[in-house]
Amino acid sequence: MDFDSLEDLRNRVDIAITTKVDELKDKGITCITNDDIWNYLTNTKWKKAKGLTLSDMVDDILKMEIK
């Protein structure tokens, strides 16, 4: 799947990010935002990834653990 821009990609995964933020809020972690998750993953985990699919990205978001 091709994306026209980074913003287009962000729009595709934003529902998964929102789901993760809601899950964290349910656990009492209220200081993490959608932008925090997006910035962390794009600047660390996905920056050097090759052949990353949309499903891989959603999986990374939903399986994130905050310690």
Side-chain angles (χ1 to χ4, degrees):
M1 182 176 286
D2 293 325
F3 302 97
D4 296 328
S5 66
L6 199 55
E7 182 180 345
D8 183 31
L9 176 59
R10 167 78 188 257
N11 289 335
R12 298 280 183 135
V13 298
D14 203 48
I15 189 69
I17 294 172
T18 299
T19 299
K20 178 50 88 171
V21 168
D22 290 344
E23 176 187 318
L24 294 171
K25 285 180 183 176
D26 288 344
K27 293 179 179 182
I29 303 169
T30 59
C31 60
I32 296 179
T33 66
N34 287 36
D35 287 338
D36 293 331
I37 292 174
W38 173 256
N39 291 333
Y40 171 74
L41 290 170
T42 55
N43 291 320
T44 58
K45 187 163 181 93
W46 300 335
K47 190 172 188 171
K48 296 179 183 178
K50 298 204 187 285
L52 193 62
T53 65
L54 186 59
S55 63
D56 291 333
M57 296 176 81
V58 169
D59 193 53
D60 288 341
I61 293 164
L62 297 177
K63 288 184 176 179
M64 274 184 76
E65 290 188 32
I66 308 300
K67 297 178 183 183

